């Protein structure tokens, strides 16, 4: 769907049942062509160091595909088939490929993109892609946090402008283009930054 700052491909996988008859069989009111179905968007690895997020997302997708092909309980198979017949799933396993690659070769705890608009000592002043989206960009009531969002040497730098990073812009462009055909019903961002699991 686009290229990263360093020229890596941003790969998107679209998954759906190709059969319009399957949509009706799964209980859809009408059989919609795949390109007109409502979208469920899933992404992972905005923060480069969250290695398990792409694996977890792809594992969940694999589990869904196995269930849709008949592997699992009757309920799981029916649910998977219904989901794939009614929706188009768009999956971007690694939204930040430059940062992700950098965590494997140089700095395991790197979090941001690799855009190098400014220098911060031995590292580049990169952008936190999670804070580079246009909606309420850099809005906060905290004076200290606002300063961090504007400082290219912090882990939460929001970038010089909304969608300044080619990675967030590519995802936004894909979603805008898809919205012309059908509405996005859900956006899931898989993260793994904490050790606490709970409600």
């Amino acid at each position: 769907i686009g290229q990263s700052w360093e020229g890596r491909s941003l790969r998107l996988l679209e998954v759906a049942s190709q059969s319009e008859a399957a949509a009706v069989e799964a209980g859809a009111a009408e059989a919609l062509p795949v390109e007109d179905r409502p979208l469920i968007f899933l992404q992972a690895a905005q923060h480069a160091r969250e290695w398990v997020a792409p694996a977890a997302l792809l594992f969940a997708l694999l589990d869904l595909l196995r269930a849709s092909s008949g592997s699992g309980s009757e309920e799981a198979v029916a649910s998977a088939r219904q989901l794939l017949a009614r929706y188009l799933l768009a999956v971007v396993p690694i939204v930040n490929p430059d940062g992700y690659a950098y965590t494997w070769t140089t700095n395991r705890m790197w979090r941001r993109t690799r855009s190098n608009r400014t220098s911060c000592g031995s590292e580049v002043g990169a952008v936190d892609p999670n804070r580079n989206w246009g909606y309420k960009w850099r809005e906060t009531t905290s004076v200290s946090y606002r300063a961090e969002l504007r400082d290219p040497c912090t882990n939460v730098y929001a970038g010089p402008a909304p969608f300044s990073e080619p990675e967030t812009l590519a995802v936004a462009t894909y979603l805008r283009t898809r919205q012309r055909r059908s509405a996005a019903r859900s956006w899931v961002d898989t993260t793994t930054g904490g050790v606490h699991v709970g409600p």
Side-chain angles (χ1 to χ4, degrees):
I1 59 170
Q3 300 289 312
S4 69
W5 181 272
E6 293 178 345
R8 290 181 176 83
S9 294
L10 272 79
R11 301 191 186 281
L12 177 130
L13 188 66
E14 290 184 335
V15 181
S17 170
Q18 293 295 316
S19 168
E20 292 178 29
V24 173
E25 184 181 309
E30 61 181 287
L32 290 175
V34 170
E35 61 273 6
D36 292 336
R37 292 183 193 165
L39 180 73
I40 297 175
F41 185 81
L42 303 110
Q43 68 178 24
Q46 278 197 98
H47 293 148
R49 63 188 174 201
E50 296 178 7
W51 287 356
V52 78
L57 179 57
L58 291 173
F59 182 81
L61 181 62
L62 177 62
D63 200 44
L64 176 71
L65 293 173
R66 283 183 178 147
S68 74
S69 65
S71 177
S73 70
E74 249 182 67
E75 184 181 348
V77 169
S79 293
R81 287 180 177 166
Q82 186 175 33
L83 180 74
L84 293 177
R86 289 184 175 183
Y87 298 96
L88 171 64
L89 276 64
V91 181
V92 180
I94 302 175
V95 174
N96 179 4
D98 298 342
Y100 186 77
Y102 191 70
T103 65
W104 285 91
T105 61
T106 308
N107 180 346
R108 172 62 186 93
M109 295 309 292
W110 187 259
R111 168 185 162 113
R112 299 167 286 162
T113 64
R114 292 294 300 157
S115 56
N116 58 356
R117 293 182 185 90
T118 188
S119 177
C120 296
S122 63
E123 293 286 2
V124 297
V127 173
D128 179 354
N130 192 39
R131 286 158 178 80
N132 191 239
W133 301 95
Y135 181 72
K136 295 192 176 190
W137 180 73
R138 289 200 317 198
E139 284 186 26
T140 181
T141 57
S142 168
V143 173
S144 61
Y145 187 55
R146 185 177 305 118
E148 286 185 74
L149 291 171
R150 294 168 188 257
D151 182 351
C153 297
T154 68
N155 266 338
V156 295
Y157 176 51
F163 303 113
S164 62
E165 301 309 283
E167 298 87 351
T168 54
L169 182 60
V171 170
T173 300
Y174 169 81
L175 289 168
R176 282 186 197 116
T177 301
R178 279 289 302 139
Q179 289 286 101
R180 292 185 193 121
R181 294 295 302 249
S182 66
R185 294 285 193 245
S186 179
W187 177 323
V188 179
D189 184 17
T190 308
T191 64
T192 56
V195 293
H196 172 74
V197 176

